[in-house]
Amino acid sequence: QPVKGTPAPRGPPSSAVPPPPAPEAGGKMMPLRQGSYQLSSPFGPRWGEQHQGQDLSAPLGTQIYAVVGGTVRESGPASGFGNWIIIDFDHGQKSNVYGHMRAGDLKVRKGDTVTAGQQIAAVGNEGQSTGPHLHFEVHKGGLNGKRVNPVTWLRERGVSI
């Protein structure tokens, strides 16, 4: 109990890790905290092939958050990605793919239920990667469905890029 006339204990110092960002419109959000990343390689043609997602460059260890709530379909090793996480949502009709994380930084497992804004991993540089970044994909029609431009998909849902 504080002694009368002494200030009450204060909260954590301002250098403490801030709480996870709150989801925006429709319960969706960016997978990385605003100001912590730069949009790098976009969805579309790249090196003679179709790049199926949006890359967000960020320092190693930057926290990655679930864009929407859903069920973790996969969490672990994946060809090309080093490690990935797939989250199914909208009754399995859509999927988000997150790639290039280190195995020790995966915070969720197959079968887990996640909420938008929950930390699921940290930025890595695993697999076929040219530097630390998050590779993020959106699939309509489930994991094997049509891949769509993640930036356009997020903006259409009111999420600030």
Side-chain angles (χ1 to χ4, degrees):
Q1 220 181 123
V3 176
K4 190 174 184 180
T6 61
R10 300 189 93 151
S14 61
S15 63
V17 175
E24 294 185 39
K28 295 170 179 63
M29 58 176 292
M30 285 296 291
L32 302 177
R33 183 181 305 280
Q34 293 292 339
S36 71
Y37 64 90
Q38 290 187 356
L39 296 177
S40 51
S41 188
F43 179 87
R46 182 179 77 172
W47 305 327
E49 296 181 3
Q50 175 71 15
H51 185 232
Q52 301 291 351
Q54 171 66 54
D55 290 349
L56 297 95
S57 64
L60 283 174
T62 301
Q63 294 180 350
I64 300 171
Y65 304 98
V67 169
V68 297
T71 303
V72 177
R73 174 192 286 239
E74 294 292 339
S75 179
S79 178
F81 286 123
N83 291 284
W84 70 354
I85 294 172
I86 302 169
I87 298 175
D88 291 338
F89 60 102
D90 284 351
H91 308 287
Q93 294 302 306
K94 296 182 182 86
S95 301
N96 288 149
V97 176
Y98 307 76
H100 299 298
M101 296 82 63
R102 296 181 285 201
D105 290 337
L106 302 177
K107 308 286 185 199
V108 295
R109 296 176 187 221
K110 182 176 182 174
D112 286 353
T113 299
V114 298
T115 58
Q118 177 180 335
Q119 184 186 359
I120 59 170
V123 170
N125 189 26
E126 304 297 300
Q128 296 172 351
S129 176
T130 59
H133 74 284
L134 168 65
H135 174 88
F136 177 68
E137 297 181 6
V138 177
H139 298 231
K140 288 185 176 179
L143 182 59
N144 296 315
K146 179 182 178 185
R147 292 176 176 123
V148 298
N149 185 327
V151 170
T152 303
W153 183 82
L154 286 163
R155 283 187 176 141
E156 287 172 350
R157 283 147 187 82
V159 176
S160 303
I161 306 298

